[in-house]
């Protein structure tokens, strides 16, 4: 068997080192984020069922609100990485500061919206009379931390664009520890109940935001970048984020439709669906770590006017995505006898989940390609295409999912529709990547 030429092997090794250096810390930071909710649930759960139910409702609302603004991280990563590739660190950090100022403005707007409307939002989720007061209390207090959460997103985008994924990891770990300690002390030590859990989380979030800001501000001073808000730059950040917002909302709609369809299939189906969806989300963290590396690496190559390097990095990351997908799929198949009993002892739920779980396992290589190419196109600043592609995907998925109960299909058929959704995403992203129209070099797109 012939070996690849030495320069090609050296290039692959370089790409591998870059991918590992960025993806591994990114994965750690991604996994640390949902641990906040788990820690809160474990602490509040001992207060009572009503308090835990209230926390669940408020956390779902907060998670949705923050996930809508995830473009603050994605768009900032791409823009900053381009400037880094072009060798203009001052402009890179200045671009990042625009994203941080936008995060503060959006966070303030969310607070103004959530504080008066918290009871109505809780009622929309169908909270019981006993859980609603706790959910409203937690939501109102925690909404005060949303500016900090959005600043963390934007600052994380800046650091990723600067090819630094270690700092967000350390901040996430520190935030998780602080959150657990504060919550325990305020809930039980001070006796504030669920309000103590909310205040502990808010304090931890502002601490995380402060640490990230210190790192970014030091970089700004080192390279002479202005820290003042710039209306033109903030407006440009918002405009770049709109397509990614459309993409995110379309994806959220897909997940909501899937859950609504599962609920119509029966109690065992919705229970099994929630178990599988939690696993699917965990697997997504692993693949998203490669995508985050892709955002930073591709943006840097394009900023440096290195179109060939961007293509080669893209090709190598796709190989990583496929390999990771096969590995995760095999892990799901092997671990399924251990995984399902962790969540349920109901034989019917297990029997319902098992074939759908195998569908998830088979789809992981496709998911690996999707996440990588999504990251590549984000790194290229190709947001408008990503928005259009996700709307097309939603248009294909919605009727396929809604037909499942009408045609007498079960949960496996629903996850077949989810696999169809990921396949459509893969095709749309592959066609764009193959066309080369995403390759626009220079400090700005």
């Amino acid at each position: 068997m012939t070996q690849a030429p030495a320069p090609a092997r050296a290039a692959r090794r370089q790409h591998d080192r870059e991918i590992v250096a960025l993806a591994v810390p990114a994965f750690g930071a991604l996994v640390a984020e949902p641990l906040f909710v788990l820690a809160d649930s474990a602490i509040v759960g001992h207060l009572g069922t009503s308090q835990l139910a209230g926390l669940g409702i408020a956390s779902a609302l907060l998670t949705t609100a923050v996930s809508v603004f995830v473009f603050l991280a994605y768009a900032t990563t791409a823009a900053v990485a381009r400037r880094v590739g072009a060798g203009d660190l001052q402009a890179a950090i200045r671009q990042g500061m625009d994203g941080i100022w936008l995060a503060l403005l959006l966070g303030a707007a969310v607070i103004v919206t959530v504080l008066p409307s918290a009871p109505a939002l809780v009622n929309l989720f169908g909270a019981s009379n006993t859980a609603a007061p706790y959910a409203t209390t937690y939501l109102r207090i925690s909404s005060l931390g949303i500016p900090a959460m959005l600043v963390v997103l934007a600052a994380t985008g800046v650091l990723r664009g600067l090819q630094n994924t270690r700092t967000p990891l350390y901040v996430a770990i520190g935030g998780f520890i602080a959150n657990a300690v504060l919550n325990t002390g305020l809930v039980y030590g001070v006796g504030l109940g669920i309000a103590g859990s909310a205040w502990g989380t808010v304090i931890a979030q502002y601490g995380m935001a402060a640490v990230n800001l210190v790192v970014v501000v030091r970089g700004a001073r080192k390279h002479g970048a202005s820290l003042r808000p710039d209306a033109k730059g903030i407006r440009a950040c918002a405009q770049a984020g709109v397509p990614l917002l459309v993409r995110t909302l379309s994806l959220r709609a897909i997940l909501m439709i899937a859950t609504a369809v599962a609920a119509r299939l029966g109690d065992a189906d919705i229970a099994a669906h929630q178990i599988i969806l939690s696993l699917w989300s965990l697997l997504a963290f692993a693949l998203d770590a490669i995508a985050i590396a892709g955002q930073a690496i591709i943006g840097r190559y394009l900023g440096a006017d290195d179109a060939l390097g961007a293509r080669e990095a893209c090709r190598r990351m796709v190989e990583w995505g496929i390999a990771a997908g096969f590995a995760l799929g095999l892990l799901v198949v092997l671990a399924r006898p251990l995984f399902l009993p962790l969540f349920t002892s109901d034989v019917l739920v297990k029997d319902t989940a098992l074939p759908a779980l195998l569908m998830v396992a088979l789809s992981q290589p496709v998911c690996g390609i999707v996440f990588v190419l999504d990251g590549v196109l984000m790194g290229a600043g190709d947001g408008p295409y990503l928005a259009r592609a996700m709307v097309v995907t939603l248009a294909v998925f919605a009727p396929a999912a809604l037909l499942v109960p009408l045609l007498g299909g079960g949960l496996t058929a629903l996850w077949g529709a989810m696999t169809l959704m990921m396949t459509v995403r893969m095709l749309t992203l592959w066609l764009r990547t193959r066309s080369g129209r995403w390759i626009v070099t220079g400090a700005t797109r």
Side-chain angles (χ1 to χ4, degrees):
M1 188 172 77
T2 59
Q3 287 188 331
R9 292 199 302 272
R12 282 202 301 272
R13 285 196 295 270
Q14 179 185 348
H15 292 317
D16 290 345
R17 285 194 296 269
E18 289 181 333
I19 293 167
V20 171
L22 292 171
V24 172
F27 174 68
L30 288 168
V31 171
E33 290 174 12
L35 292 179
F36 270 72
V37 178
L38 288 177
D40 287 0
S41 299
I43 294 167
V44 171
H46 292 286
L47 294 174
T49 302
S50 297
Q51 289 91 332
L52 185 58
L55 172 66
I57 293 167
S59 294
L61 286 164
L62 289 165
T63 301
T64 299
V66 174
S67 66
V68 164
F69 299 115
V70 74
F71 68 83
L72 288 167
Y74 292 160
T76 304
T77 297
V80 171
R82 275 184 175 269
R83 299 282 189 178
V84 169
D88 192 347
L89 288 176
Q90 182 186 72
I93 297 176
R94 173 64 261 178
Q95 186 108 34
M97 286 305 305
D98 292 335
I100 290 172
W101 281 111
L102 176 61
L104 286 170
L105 291 173
L106 291 173
V110 172
I111 289 178
V112 171
T113 302
V114 171
L115 283 179
S117 62
L121 291 171
V122 167
N123 286 333
L124 280 176
F125 268 62
S128 66
N129 292 334
T130 54
Y134 296 114
T136 301
T137 297
Y138 191 92
L139 181 60
R140 278 181 166 158
I141 297 172
S142 292
S143 68
L144 301 176
I146 286 181
M149 296 167 74
L150 299 188
V151 166
V152 169
L153 282 177
T156 298
V158 177
L159 295 171
R160 288 173 180 170
L162 294 171
Q163 318 296 296
N164 175 4
T165 55
R166 290 184 178 273
T167 297
L169 171 61
Y170 299 147
V171 170
I173 293 173
F176 169 71
I177 295 172
N179 178 67
V181 172
L182 286 166
N183 280 12
T184 302
L186 293 174
V187 170
Y188 298 111
V190 182
L192 293 180
I194 194 169
S197 176
W199 281 118
T201 300
V202 168
I203 295 169
Q205 287 162 347
Y206 275 98
M208 292 170 66
V211 173
N212 275 315
L213 284 175
V214 166
V215 176
V216 173
V217 168
R218 281 179 179 173
R221 289 175 175 169
K222 179 180 178 180
H223 298 287
S226 173
L227 298 175
R228 294 179 179 178
D230 176 64
K232 183 179 179 181
I234 294 171
R235 190 162 52 250
C237 285
Q239 290 171 346
V242 168
L244 295 180
L245 176 61
V246 172
R247 168 198 169 275
T248 300
L249 290 174
S250 298
L251 181 57
R252 296 295 300 184
I254 287 170
L255 297 178
M256 288 175 64
I257 290 170
T259 300
V261 170
R264 293 178 63 186
L265 296 175
D267 290 347
D269 293 270
I270 186 61
H273 176 74
Q274 288 304 115
I275 293 171
I276 295 170
L277 189 60
S278 67
L279 175 63
W280 193 75
S281 300
L282 179 61
L283 298 173
F285 284 132
L287 298 174
D288 202 27
I290 305 174
I292 288 169
Q295 294 171 29
I297 293 170
I298 294 297
R300 192 189 74 233
Y301 273 115
L302 294 177
D305 292 322
D306 188 353
L308 178 61
R311 282 186 179 277
E312 291 176 347
C314 173
R315 186 179 301 111
R316 189 57 178 162
M317 279 183 284
V318 168
E319 292 172 357
W320 270 78
I322 294 171
F326 273 112
L328 291 173
L330 181 61
L331 182 62
V332 170
V333 172
L334 295 177
R336 71 188 189 283
L338 302 174
F339 174 74
L340 289 175
L342 292 175
F343 290 86
T344 182
S345 57
D346 190 316
V347 175
L348 180 58
V349 173
K350 289 180 184 178
D351 290 343
T352 303
L354 184 58
L357 199 60
L358 293 175
M359 182 72 72
V360 170
L362 291 172
S363 70
Q364 286 310 295
V366 172
C367 294
I369 297 172
V370 168
F371 276 87
V372 167
L373 293 183
D374 205 43
V376 165
L377 296 183
M378 281 186 191
D382 205 10
Y385 181 83
L386 288 172
R388 293 193 299 271
M390 189 59 79
V391 170
V392 169
T393 302
L394 173 60
V396 173
F397 171 77
L402 294 173
L403 281 172
V404 168
L406 293 176
L407 298 177
L411 189 65
T412 303
L414 175 60
W415 276 94
M418 289 286 286
T419 301
L420 171 65
M421 178 270 293
M422 293 303 291
T423 303
V424 172
R425 286 186 70 187
M426 181 184 70
L427 291 174
T428 57
L429 298 175
W430 176 76
L431 288 172
R432 183 65 168 184
T433 307
R434 187 184 180 192
S435 73
R437 277 179 271 181
W438 59 279
I439 299 179
V440 179
T441 58
T444 58
R445 185 177 172 86

